[in-house]
Amino acid sequence: MTLRRFMREGFAIESLRLTRANVQAYTMRTMPQKVFVIGLDCATPELVFDRWADLLPNLRRFMVSGVYGSLESSIPPITVPAWMCMMTGRDPGDLGIYGFRNRRDHSYDGLAFANSRLIEVPAVWDVLGDQGKQSIVLGVPLTYPPRPIHGLLVSDFLAPGVDSEYTYPPALKDEIKEIVGEYIFDTREFRTDDKAKLLSDIHAMTRQRFQVARHLAATHPWDLFVMVEMGPDRIHHAFWRYLDPLHPKHCPGPPFEHSIRDYYVALDTEVGRLIATLDSETRVLIVSDHGAKRMEGGICLNEWLLQKGFLVLKRPADCVTKFQPELVDWSRTRVWGDGGYYGRVFINIEGREPQGSVPLSSVESLKAELTEGLEALGDENGRPIGTRVFRPERIYGRRRNVAPDLIVYFGDLYWRSVGSVGHNTVWTHENDIGPDDANHAQQGIFLMADVRDLPAAAAARYAQLQPRRADLSLYDVAPTILTAMGFTAPDGMGRNSVVGAPVSYGASVYSEAEEEELARRLEDLGYL
């Protein structure tokens, strides 16, 4: 059952005391005046609901008195596009965005960074704005460059920096500077060996984001407030080896053994401070776009394609080399791939790509061959790793722009996709872009309750938890917000949505220097 049906039809929710018999009366009596969404990028259900539930009294309050459970993410479970999938109720195929950087066209080198101008369907704050409701949006990925909304908007970590126009209205950035000084979009130098400084930077970023949220919520009118904090994602990628004894590079003991646990405790405290400032009639949702799991290694996708004869280079790479179109003999190449937390596979199709070599009549058989080979690929010792291959035409309602021909979860996301060549092996346990401890997991978190129903943190610490739900979807969050505020989600918002024609990437929103810096940052973070 979707969250939207859940709220509309009034099936029993012990924490909200809804039943079929009293749902209409209850809805009229308890309609929240406001909705506040706290987004915690990469917050992981196994840590929040299981391992540390007793250490997180403010999150536990929702588990005692609200609705909570694992939240099925988009395919792929990547920050971009997952957050905008959540806020629009559309899948990546509907949005035409499959990652941070996408093929602009069917050329080999036409790549473009995703940005807010590609979002041509309404986000939840747009729907509410049409109804005269005001929203504050803080740090939601894919909101740069800022677009006018009925309210306030602070762009996400894809903004070039504090000198850019990263707020709507533009004067808002002056207010933010007065409150916190230089605004922190994201941690810098993520691959640093100075783990202590990185840990300090992550905490500082999180404290500042919540400070800005408390300030904006207290000093500006709003009906909907949506914020996203990137700290959980950054700390997982940098420190997971210290947490997980099954990690191949596990480092037990001090000084970082409890770094993730202590961060979650600090995050829980920030959540509690924020909730304490909210009106009792506010409904609060705490969500993440995906979870995290240990990274056991990398599969060198293009190396595998080279070994199988699908990909042909003009000359062998004698050292590890970033994959570039000019390296490839396209007349003899049938398939190439892209790296990141998941793999993207592209077929060199006659009449579609400039030097296409695969007849259209052979595409389906080639997809089947690739799927069989990739899913059968084990680790370096031949042990199965559980790779999953998805066909976009089967998982998306529609494929706008240039979708991958196949999407690959190596080892069910325990292994990342490595796009570079010159490894002379399919398997690697050294990341080609630097240390990275974690990959993304398909399940994020969802918690929801009205502020007035939340028990005190001390009481929640020992109270019995509500049943944990297992049927929640990222695509249901936007309709749930609208339903909670008494509005009907527009057609297409939610599961099984279908939208119109492809969008145009147009001119880049970044300068050439900004694009180079953005590429460096995204590679540093493991997204490319």
Side-chain angles (χ1 to χ4, degrees), residues 303 313 316-324 327 419-423 432:
E303 288 287 345
L313 302 182
D318 54 10
C319 62
V320 175
T321 304
K322 184 178 179 180
F323 181 85
Q324 297 285 356
L327 300 175
S420 51
V421 294
H423 295 268
D432 60 338

Side-chain angles (χ1 to χ4, degrees), residues 226-257:
V226 184
M227 66 169 290
V228 172
E229 167 53 28
M230 298 301 300
D233 181 89
R234 304 310 185 234
I235 203 164
H236 292 158
H237 286 295
F239 293 93
W240 197 271
R241 71 179 64 187
Y242 305 100
L243 166 76
D244 188 351
L246 297 180
H247 195 288
K249 296 183 179 181
H250 179 52
C251 295
F256 303 116
E257 179 180 11

Side-chain angles (χ1 to χ4, degrees), residues 32 41 132 210 279 354 365 417 470 496:
D41 193 281
F210 276 87
D279 186 276
S365 61
S417 175
N496 304 315

Side-chain angles (χ1 to χ4, degrees), residues 103 301-302 304-305 310 334-339 342-349 352-353 366-367 369-371 374 387-393 402-410 417:
R103 294 181 73 186
L301 174 56
N302 283 317
W304 183 82
L305 293 171
F310 295 113
R334 293 186 289 162
V335 184
W336 77 101
D338 199 4
Y342 75 104
R344 286 186 268 188
V345 173
F346 300 98
I347 298 175
N348 195 24
I349 300 176
R352 190 182 77 170
E353 275 70 26
L366 180 54
K367 286 183 179 181
E369 181 182 359
L370 289 165
T371 298
L374 290 167
T387 293
R388 302 167 65 194
V389 179
F390 303 92
R391 295 194 184 193
E393 66 270 22
V402 184
D405 292 301
L406 295 174
I407 290 173
V408 187
Y409 287 4
F410 285 113
S417 175

Side-chain angles (χ1 to χ4, degrees), residues 99-104 109-115 118 505-506 515:
F100 282 86
R101 189 165 61 184
N102 302 271
R103 294 181 73 186
R104 179 189 297 272
D109 59 356
L111 299 175
F113 289 108
N115 66 81
L118 301 181
Y505 276 87
E515 283 216 346

